[in-house]
Amino acid sequence: MRRMLAARAALPVPDVAGALGARLDFHKDEADAMAALAKANVILECCEHHFSGVKRQHGFREDKVDNLEHHCVDIQLDFMENMTTPLGPEEAQDWFWATARQSITTLGFYAHYWLKGVEHHQYFHFISDILNHDSAFAVQAFGDLLLRLGLSDQRTVLHVFADCGPHFRSYEFLWCLVEVCKSKFPTVFLHFLLEHHGKGRNDGQFGLQRRWAVDYARDHVISDVSDMKGALEAGAMMTMSLDPPPAGPSYRIVVFTPAAKPKFVDKLDNSKTDLQIEYTYCLRIQRHPVPMYVAVIKDFVYSDRSTDEQKGVSIGNVVMKRQPAKEESWRVSYRKTEPEKDNLNVGVLQRRLDHQKHAKLANLASRADPEIVKLARDQRREAKRKAKYLRTYAVLAVNLADDSDSSNSDSGSGSE
């Protein structure tokens, strides 16, 4: 478009009245179009950059799944949308009251590692009646997972993949991995999957969980977390029988009840660093060779850059900051034995009736209320009047059209 504008500007203006004004108007329209396209181009460039980042992270992620080194451990985690109970073959009426429902949280883990020359794929479903999808819950569950894996010190690299939710993309969760680096793995990578990254292994894990619960509820009632554990274990056994591990993935169901919520939360003091965690998708935490120092963290921005040491930038001093927890205790989902049921407000119902009498009167005409019957009668009369008017208008339109055709034919014959 710019080339066309330049070529048109080089042409002489025709020596015709109004040509210059037309040329100026045309230039103005073109300038407005160029400004609109420039704004759209900025948006398109941002989208292109974002989705190219999605492909880069996804490619690195899948390469780790297909070609995991024996000294590496690969873990991916995500929160599932809460499920509610009770569920069963026959739904009782009182199940639909809000206070009769109990929410169950699931934090899913996918663990991939080598053990005695055999490649293992394990899925852990951490179910709980605690509704806090926050960093404190994720940190405690992640520590519990590492204990359950029971891996030896021969593993030197840990890859952790998470989405960009604030429970994972936080300085609290980052400090948790710093502690893991100090105690277990000399090198830890924290990878963030970009927004709208598509479906991953955790999503498939959660899809299976929902199917297991639905299948179990056809013959049993799932009333609480313990029932949900039984339902998921039954589904997991069935799935693993079709593709037995270690050739196929294994599934473990854990009822996770963390200890009392800590009064203080440890986090990375980002004021001492150059890190802004919302602008990166790959961080490497490396154990410092000098024990008195904590660790060295490098920002690679994208995972596929981490293979080149020169592309990483040190964030600066790695210092812990302790602050009070935002909430004093866990938010626990519970169910009341008797549902809350408010009495109907008759005054509100009467006001609604006064405001809604005009609606759907055809369905209310059989009622004995004289006022409603009168309104319905008036509505039918108005409908008949409009129909009569439309019929009259149609007849007049046809007559006018006939008169116009006849007058045109008469004038045509006269000219001949």
Side-chain angles (χ1 to χ4, degrees):
M1 190 170 180
R2 292 192 183 96
R3 290 196 299 269
M4 292 172 62
L5 289 174
R8 190 178 296 109
L11 295 176
V13 179
D15 189 12
V16 180
L20 181 59
R23 174 69 67 88
L24 293 176
D25 293 340
F26 192 61
H27 278 314
K28 182 179 181 303
D29 294 340
E30 288 177 329
D32 293 341
M34 288 293 292
L37 286 173
K39 293 180 180 179
N41 189 48
V42 172
I43 298 174
L44 288 173
E45 287 177 349
C46 294
C47 293
E48 181 187 29
H49 173 72
H50 175 81
F51 286 105
S52 65
V54 170
K55 291 182 179 180
R56 293 173 65 175
Q57 294 293 92
H58 180 74
F60 183 86
R61 166 85 188 126
E62 293 306 307
D63 180 69
K64 281 299 170 192
V65 173
D66 296 336
N67 305 289
L68 185 70
E69 297 90 344
H70 286 244
H71 64 281
C72 294
V73 177
D74 173 23
I75 295 177
Q76 185 174 356
L77 69 161
D78 195 7
F79 276 104
M80 177 184 174
E81 183 181 357
N82 291 345
M83 299 184 68
T84 60
T85 60
L87 299 171
E90 296 182 2
E91 296 178 341
Q93 183 177 0
D94 58 356
W95 288 7
F96 294 95
W97 294 100
T99 52
R101 309 295 296 176
Q102 180 181 10
S103 296
I104 296 177
T105 290
T106 300
L107 177 56
F109 291 96
Y110 165 72
H112 179 201
Y113 56 91
W114 288 87
L115 183 63
K116 297 180 180 180
V118 179
E119 191 174 14
H120 290 264
H121 301 267
Q122 280 190 308
Y123 290 93
F124 290 82
H125 300 249
F126 278 59
I127 59 176
S128 176
D129 56 1
I130 292 175
L131 302 183
N132 297 65
H133 290 193
D134 58 8
S135 298
F137 186 92
V139 165
Q140 294 201 31
F142 189 81
D144 185 89
L145 172 78
L146 293 180
L147 293 176
R148 292 177 184 276
L149 291 179
L151 299 175
S152 65
D153 295 336
Q154 297 177 355
R155 273 77 177 180
T156 58
V157 179
L158 171 65
H159 290 274
V160 179
F161 288 85
D163 60 24
C164 288
H167 30 257
F168 305 131
R169 198 173 190 171
S170 66
Y171 297 105
E172 293 90 343
F173 191 74
L174 177 58
W175 187 259
C176 163
L177 296 184
V178 172
E179 297 287 353
V180 170
C181 177
K182 290 169 56 180
S183 60
K184 296 182 180 297
F185 297 90
T187 303
V188 177
F189 285 92
L190 175 57
H191 308 275
F192 295 114
L193 301 175
L194 280 73
E195 297 83 356
H196 302 285
H197 57 79
K199 300 299 182 183
R201 279 160 179 76
N202 288 127
D203 298 285
Q205 171 185 5
F206 299 150
L208 274 176
Q209 175 171 326
R210 288 193 179 277
R211 195 180 73 185
W212 294 340
V214 170
D215 290 345
Y216 188 85
R218 290 193 177 100
D219 302 313
H220 308 82
V221 174
I222 304 175
S223 181
D224 51 22
V225 175
S226 60
D227 292 339
M228 181 64 74
K229 181 177 186 291
L232 300 185
E233 285 180 340
M237 291 297 294
M238 178 61 68
T239 301
M240 288 188 289
S241 67
L242 300 176
D243 189 12
S250 62
Y251 300 89
R252 292 181 61 183
I253 315 301
V254 179
V255 176
F256 182 59
T257 306
K261 191 168 186 179
K263 296 182 179 180
F264 296 93
V265 177
D266 296 338
K267 60 184 293 187
L268 176 74
D269 187 358
N270 63 309
S271 64
K272 307 291 186 182
T273 71
D274 297 326
L275 175 65
Q276 289 182 299
I277 199 168
E278 62 268 24
Y279 297 128
T280 185
Y281 297 97
C282 177
L283 294 169
R284 187 191 68 187
I285 309 165
Q286 206 158 26
R287 188 180 299 171
H288 203 285
V290 181
M292 64 179 295
Y293 295 104
V294 180
V296 178
I297 300 180
K298 276 197 170 185
D299 179 12
F300 289 91
V301 184
Y302 288 103
S303 298
D304 55 357
R305 292 161 46 98
S306 62
T307 56
D308 187 353
E309 183 69 25
Q310 300 299 321
K311 294 182 180 179
V313 178
S314 177
I315 68 170
N317 295 328
V318 181
V319 180
M320 185 265 287
K321 178 181 179 182
R322 178 165 292 178
Q323 64 182 19
K326 294 181 179 179
E327 296 183 16
E328 296 181 355
S329 60
W330 300 112
R331 291 185 291 111
V332 179
S333 176
Y334 65 95
R335 181 189 301 117
K336 292 186 177 181
T337 55
E338 293 294 333
E340 295 177 353
K341 184 176 180 180
D342 296 331
N343 294 328
L344 291 175
N345 190 325
V346 180
V348 173
L349 297 181
Q350 183 62 45
R351 288 194 296 273
R352 286 177 182 167
L353 177 61
D354 293 338
H355 288 284
Q356 296 172 359
K357 285 180 180 178
H358 65 282
K360 299 183 180 179
L361 290 177
N363 298 330
L364 301 175
S366 61
R367 300 227 178 150
D369 189 341
E371 187 176 357
I372 293 180
V373 173
K374 180 178 179 299
L375 290 172
R377 188 184 302 116
D378 293 342
Q379 186 184 51
R380 289 196 297 271
R381 287 176 179 173
E382 181 65 18
K384 289 181 180 179
R385 189 186 66 80
K386 287 183 179 180
K388 182 178 179 181
Y389 171 79
L390 291 175
R391 287 196 300 271
T392 304
Y393 178 80
V395 172
L396 290 175
V398 171
N399 294 335
L400 288 174
D402 293 340
D403 294 342
S404 176
D405 293 339
S406 61
S407 62
N408 290 334
S409 61
D410 293 341
S411 61
S413 61
S415 63
E416 290 177 349

